[in-house]
Every structure is written in C-alpha cells, then in structure tokens.
Amino acid sequence: MAVPYATQVLLLILLTTLHFRASIVAGLNRSCSEKERNALLSFKHGLADPSNRLSSWSEKEDCCSWAGVRCNNFTGQVMELNLNTSVGSPYRELSGEISPSLLELKSLTRLDLSSNYFVLTPIPSFLGSMESLRYLDLSLSGFMGLIPHQLGNLSNLQHLNLGYNYALQIDSLNWMSRLSSLKYLDLSYADLHKEADWLQVLSALPSLSELHLENCQIDNLEPAKGKTNFTYLQVLDLSNNNLNQEIPSWLSNLSTTLVQLDLHSNLLHGEIPQIVSSLQNIKILDLHGNQFSGALPNSLSQLKHLEVLDLSNNTIICPLPASFANLSSLRTLNLAHNRLNGTIPKSFGFLKKLQILNLGANSLTGDIPVTFGTLSNLVTLDLSSNLLEGSIEEIHFARLLKLKELRLSSTNLFLRVNSRWVPPFQLEYVLLSSFGVGPKFPEWLKNQSSVKVLTMSKAGIADLVPSWFWNWSLQIDFLDLSNNLLSGDVSNIFLNSSVINLSSNLFKGILPSVSANVEVLNIANNSISGTVSPLLCGKTNATNKLSVLDVSNNVLSGDLGHCWVHWQALVHLNLGSNNFSGEIPNSIGYLSQLESLLLNDNGFSEYIPSTLQNCSTMKFIDMGNNQLSATIPTWIWEMQYLIVLRLRSNNFKGSITKKICQLSSLIVLDLANNSLSGSIPNCLDDMKTMAGEDEFFSNPLSYSYGSDFSYNNYKESLELVPKGDELEYRDNLILVRMIDLSSNKLSGAIPLEISKLFALRFLNLSRNILSGEIPKDMGKMKLLESLDLSMNHISGEIPQSLSDLSFLSFLNLSYNNLSGRIPTSTQLQSFETLSYTGNPELCGPPITNNCTNKQGMSSENGSVGHADGNFFGTSEFYIGMGVGFAAGFWGVCSVIFFKRTWRHAYFHFLDRLRDVIYVTIVLKVRRLLDKS
C-alpha cells in the first residue's frame, strides 16, 4: 500500500507544478487592456515625433511591447512609461501636448519625459491625480509657468525631477509637505525667490535624502524658525544662487549624514568655518566660485572620506597645508585661481589616490617636489600661472603612468630630460606655453600617440622642426607653436589640425596645404613667399571649415586670385603687410560670413569692389597703406555692424557724406592721408559708441574656436597713430575710441557736435584747411587723451574748457591762427611750446609771448581792455588788490580796537584754537610713538 500512496503524492506535486508553470506562462503572455492601449494611442496623437520613435505604437501590436512601455508581467497593466531623450540617443526630442488620457493608466508608477521639447508648455495639473506614481521626471524639457500644487497629491512619490526647465516658478511649497515618501527632489532653475520658507518646508520632508536647487534665485540660508529638520539628507546642491553670507551653522546638523555638498558659484564669504570640518562622512565638497578668504583650515585634513575638494576661484591667501597629505581618499584637489603662496609640500606625494591636481593661477614659489613622481594614479596635473621655478626632470614623471593632461604654462620652470627619454605616460593635453622647453625641439613628443592639444608658444625653442613632426601632428586637434625661433620649409607639409598657430617664427617656403578640417590657420610673422593660389585653388572642396586665415607680415606677392568662392566658412581674413598687388578680387565679396578683412600695407590699386557689400556682417575693415583710389563707396556707410574702418594712406577722393553717422558701433575711424574734401559732417554725435551711449558686453574682436579645447587667443590687431607714433593695439583695441581725418583737404568749421563724443580718446584733424573756432564745449570730452588740430586755419581763442581735460597727454594746436591767452591750468601749461608754435597771436605760458593790456577786447569773457580775456595779469588788478587789502585789514582791526566785547571774543577764540591745536598734536605724536 505504501508504494501506490507515494505515487499519488508524486503525481499531485507534479500536477501542481505544471499548473503553476502554466499560470506563470499565461501571466507572461498577458497583454495590456484595450482601455490602456487606447489611452496611450491618444497620448501619442498629441505628440510630435520627428524621428518616428513611436512607430511601434500601433493597434496591431500589444502595447506592452511598444518602445518605452513596460507592463506588469502578471496583470498586463502599464507600469512604466520611459520616453526620455538622453544624450547620445538616436532620437530627436518629442514635443506637442501631453494628453490627459494618461489618467487611464491607473497602475503607472514611473513617468519619464525628460530631455524633450515641451517649450513654453505648463506642467499639466492632471498629473497630480496619478496617485500610483512613484517616479516623475520632467527635467530638461522646456516647461514653464507655475508648478501645479496638485503634485502634492502624489503621496507615493519618491523621485521628483523638474530641474533645468525654461522658466518654472514657485509661489509656495506648502503643497510639498504632503509628499512624505519623497527621497529625491530636483527643482534646479525654478524661481524660488518668492518662497521665503523653502528651507523650513523642505527640511521637514522625513524621507528626503537628495536635494538639488541649483540656480533657484535663493538669497537666504537662514531658517525662519532658527533650525532645520533634515534627517537623512545625503546630497545638498545649492550652487549658482545669490547666497551673500557666511556658511550657515545649521550644516553641523548634517555632520553624520551629508555625503555631498555643492555650494559653488555663490557670493559666500568669510573664512571657511570649522563647521565644514565636522562633516565626517563628506565625500564631495565643492565651494568654488565664491569669495572665501583667509587661510585653509588644517582641520579639513580630518575628512578621511573626502574624495573631491574644489575651492578654486576664491581669494584664499595662505601656504598649502602640509596636513592635506592626510586626505588619503582624495581623488580631486582643485585650488586654482586663489592667492596661495609658499612652496608645494613634499608630503603631497603621499596622496596615492589623487587623480586630478589643479594648483594653477596662484602665487606658489619654489620647485616641484620630486615626490610628485610617485603619484601613480594622477591623470591631470595643472601648475600653470605660478611663480614656480627650477628644473623638471625625468624623476618627476617616474611613475605617472596614467597622466593624460600636463599644464605647466606661464611658470619659470624648464624641462631638463635626456634627448632619448621615453615618457611612461601617453598625454592627451600638453600645455607648455611660456615654459622652458627649448632650445632644442622636444624629441620625446614622438612617442606620444594620443595628443589632442599641444601648445608650446614662447617656449624658447630655437631649432629646425624635425621631419617626423608634421606627419605626427596630423592627429592633433589644436597646435600652437607660435613665438619661438622655429625654422624649416613648410612648402610640402600637410596640415590637418582644427586650430593651427605657427605665427612669429622663422618658417619659409610657400604656403602649406590644409585639409578640410582646419578651422584656424595663423602663419603670420614668418618668411612665407609665393602667392596664395596654391593654398586657395589647390583644394576646391565646398565643405572647407576654414574660419580664420592669417598670413600677415610675410613676403607673399602677386594677385589674390579668384578662388575665394570655395572658402565660404571664412570669417576672418588677414593678408596685411605683404607684397600683394593688383585689384581686390570681386570673389572676396562672396564670402557672406566674413566679419574681418585686413588688406593693409600692400600694393592694391584701383577701387574697393562693390561685391563686398554682400558681407553684411562685416565688423573690421583695414585697407590702409595701399594705392586704392576713386571715392569711398557709399554702401560702406551702411554696414551697421562695422566697428573698425581704416582706409588711411590711399588715394581716395570725394567727400565724407552724412551717411557715416549711421555707423553707430564704430570705435575707430581712420581716413587719414587721402585727398578727401568738403566739410566734416555735423551729425557725428549719432555714433553712439563713440558718444558713450553703447558699450560692448563682450569683446566682439576676440573669437573662440574648437569644441574640446576653446581657442580664444585670436584677437584682431590694428596699427594706429594716436599720439604721433605708430602703435599696435590688440588686447586693448576694444577700449580705443578714435577719429583720424588728418592729412586731407577737409574745409569748413569743426562741427560743434564732435564735442558730444564723450567716449572719444583720440582725435586728429591736423593737416587740413579747417577754419572757424575750436568748439567751446570740447572740454566735455573728459576721456580725450590726444588732440591734434595742427596745420589748419583755425582762429579765435583756445576754449577755457580744454583745461578740464585731465587725461590729455598729447596736444598739438600748432600752425593755426589762434589768439589770446592760453587758459591757465596744470594740464595745458604742462605741454611744450611746440604744441602752440605757429600761432603768433597766442600768449601766456608755456610760450614766451607775454600778454599785455594792449591786446584789445575779449568777446569771450566780456572784459574790457584785455584781449586775453584775463584781468589777473594787469597792473589794475594789483593796485585794486592792495587798496582792498588795506581797507579790509584796517576795517576789521579798528572794530576790534574800539569795541571791547568784540576784542574779548576774538582773543578768547584764539586761546581756544591754540588749545585745540596743541591737544591734537600731542595725541597724534603719542599714537605714532605707540605704533612704533
């Protein structure tokens, strides 16, 4: 009987197992309900799907198999909807309208619509009725308007991310107090400035462990009731706000829970408090971009779990604490852009886990410790822009096998390694500008096969570039070898880097060939010869990316050819200071993106081609020192973005029309040394930038190129003659405000409106045939540094207002018909007599002509018998002064002598004055003695 019974039990277990497996299989094959499928189709209908990512959403397919949809395996109910467009996604962003049909998804626990394009759309309030939601992510999707209070009904919500939207606003956070299950909250870039109690409300959320409030317009970290109730908070991000205070004391309440604290880019000030050192479990501490001062507290070295410490861009003044070597978990140490001084401690070599060390832009001195060579995990080393000195040898790099980024620019360090040295690392970024690399070319580079960026400008290299280098450099994105004494023939080389700067060297030969990848080619200040045709016409690929071409200051010659049409990406073209000749080709005018055109100091003739008016965004034109003739084309006055116009030393004729006043952004107008005639337009005050009405928020003559490594070293330069000497302006060009119309045939009076150019610094109208008087209000041009009106026919007196020009350092009024006394002032009397010579009717210092009372009547001052308009140098003045003094003196003395009460009061006043003076002197002497 036992055997049949056991068999029955086994059969029962087998049947039960088969039934259970069948149930699982049936559950796994469970499809979504028709109601939820229709709801999702209705949701799809409201969206714009440019990349057709929802193509699987059709009535023929089970909605549980649709892209982005996840269902419950047993019930078939839709549980998750993941339609985010993450970075690197093959799809484009969804847009359109979010349909209320989502309310039919009763079991939906996760909704992720982040990184889409719902721009200017408010967050739908009906989302607050989806009570089963635990995860809601609407970040980076362009939502705007008030965050709906209905979201407070989502009592099961654990993750809420509304960060980085267009313009979300919050009037109150009281609704959030009902989200008792919330663990993660991101409201970054939402405007919180109207909610004064945000800290009190959010700290009361019992489960909150991660809080991100970047750029929320928060200006106060003090809780309304004096304390906070954060219980489990591990991550706190309050970066990019308006916190103008010290670090609050309530952070000490988070000493055991906080793992990450990010307060960067605020206005936090004072010394770094001991509170920070009490955060015993902190791993990431980011306080960069504030106004912290004082010294680094040694107590920071007690944070044994600290992995990232970023205190860069503050004003911390102290030596580097040697105790930081105790931060055994440290992976990143960034103290750049402070005022750190002293030497680098040798003990930093004990930071064995260190991957990033950035001490750049400080005032560190001494040499680099040899112990740095033991930092085997180091990936980035930045010691640039310090006062470090001494040699760097092979031992400094002995165990740096992982080093990828080496930044030692702008130091007094120099590299001293064997010519056969093979580095243990493979660098990607090599920044050694203004650093001692030379005099020999570094052969160790040949073994570096991963370099993306190489800068060795001003590196003291005086050598022939080895033949292997040009093929090796094909891998580099950014190459800067400028300002050395490098030599070699570049005729047969091929350049492929995005940014190439070979300027200010000794290269020779014809222009090299470049690939379509090159964006910037600067080979100025060399000895390159031949024509531009091999470069321009040798490659006619319409996809050329070349934006900057600077071949100025070479010995190039011939005409410019007609291949410019193939270089449509050109923005900046500098062909100045060569030996080019012939006409300016019409094809340059088809470079529609051109902003800067420098053709100065060549032999171009004929006229400016009319096709250049197609370059409607032109900012910078320099065609000075050529042989151009005819009239200045009228369309040039209609280039509304023009900032610099330099056409000096040509053969232009005709007049300056009133249309010039339309150039409201102009900062340099140089038309000197031509044959222009007529009068100066009386509308110059319409030039708003010169009048000081418009300023530039950024430098429009400085440009950045490249994505991985920003190239911002290309700045326009210009040679000007502001004070009689030719000077080159580059970094400070944007500050110049100049008008030079000298050496022409301009006639008529100086327009009164020129006095309204309050931002003008240099004005030169010399060597014309101007007449009339100097405008009386010219003294209102307070920033004027140089004024040259010499060699004209200007008459009348020098306006008294010129004595108010406190910045004036160059003045030339010579060889005119000026008359009368030179106004008395420290400024005008400081110039030599040459500034006034050739005006026989002028008198008074600094010239030797004395002013007398025989010089007639001054209409300006209305004084009779004094042509200089000044009564103070005459005999009548001194006679009157003597009589007045006698009358005043004896008038006062006689009253004191005869009136007893006045006499007593007067002597009593003198006694008190004596006592006050005596006591004051004694106190000051005592203070000085105490200080010494």
Side-chain angles (χ1 to χ4, degrees), residues 748-752 770-776 778 789 793-797 799 818 859-860:
I750 299 174
L752 301 178
L770 297 172
S771 57
E773 298 184 352
I774 300 173
K776 294 180 181 179
M778 193 166 276
L789 304 178
H793 299 156
I794 301 171
S795 58
E797 297 187 348
L818 296 170
S859 58
E860 179 180 345

Side-chain angles (χ1 to χ4, degrees), residues 541-671:
N541 192 335
T543 61
N544 286 318
K545 298 178 182 178
L546 193 66
S547 297
V548 174
L549 176 60
D550 189 344
V551 297
S552 59
N553 288 287
N554 280 287
V555 287
L556 294 164
S557 58
D559 59 36
L560 296 186
H562 300 280
C563 300
W564 296 98
V565 70
H566 303 300
W567 301 86
Q568 289 296 309
L570 270 174
V571 178
H572 314 284
L573 177 59
N574 191 345
L575 307 176
S577 300
N578 279 287
N579 298 321
F580 292 118
S581 58
E583 299 180 14
I584 301 173
N586 287 322
S587 57
I588 288 184
Y590 295 107
L591 302 175
S592 58
Q593 298 185 52
L594 200 63
E595 295 182 8
S596 301
L597 177 60
L598 290 84
L599 304 176
N600 56 289
D601 296 278
N602 280 288
F604 294 114
S605 57
E606 299 300 324
Y607 52 86
I608 300 175
S610 60
T611 54
L612 278 178
Q613 62 187 303
N614 298 326
C615 306
S616 57
T617 58
M618 191 79 82
K619 297 177 183 177
F620 195 112
I621 296 177
D622 185 359
M623 298 182 182
N625 293 297
N626 280 288
Q627 299 168 22
L628 298 170
S629 57
T631 59
I632 299 175
T634 56
W635 52 261
I636 227 169
W637 314 126
E638 298 171 2
M639 306 190 84
Q640 57 178 326
Y641 299 107
L642 204 59
I643 296 174
V644 172
L645 178 61
R646 182 177 181 267
L647 301 176
R648 71 176 296 128
S649 301
N650 279 286
N651 299 314
F652 290 114
K653 300 178 176 62
S655 61
I656 304 173
T657 69
K658 286 191 174 184
K659 286 187 176 182
I660 193 175
C661 303
Q662 299 175 175
L663 302 177
S664 60
S665 299
L666 208 63
I667 64 171
V668 173
L669 175 63
D670 189 350
L671 306 179

Side-chain angles (χ1 to χ4, degrees), residues 730-747:
R730 184 183 298 271
D731 292 334
N732 55 351
L733 176 58
I734 194 61
L735 302 176
V736 173
R737 304 289 184 272
M738 175 179 181
I739 294 179
D740 191 345
L741 304 178
S742 61
S743 300
N744 279 288
K745 300 176 182 178
L746 299 172
S747 58

Side-chain angles (χ1 to χ4, degrees), residues 273-294:
Q274 294 295 326
I275 298 166
V276 175
S277 302
S278 70
L279 304 175
Q280 53 190 271
N281 291 313
I282 196 77
K283 291 184 178 180
I284 298 176
L285 178 60
D286 190 348
L287 303 178
H288 84 264
N290 282 286
Q291 298 174 4
F292 291 115
S293 57

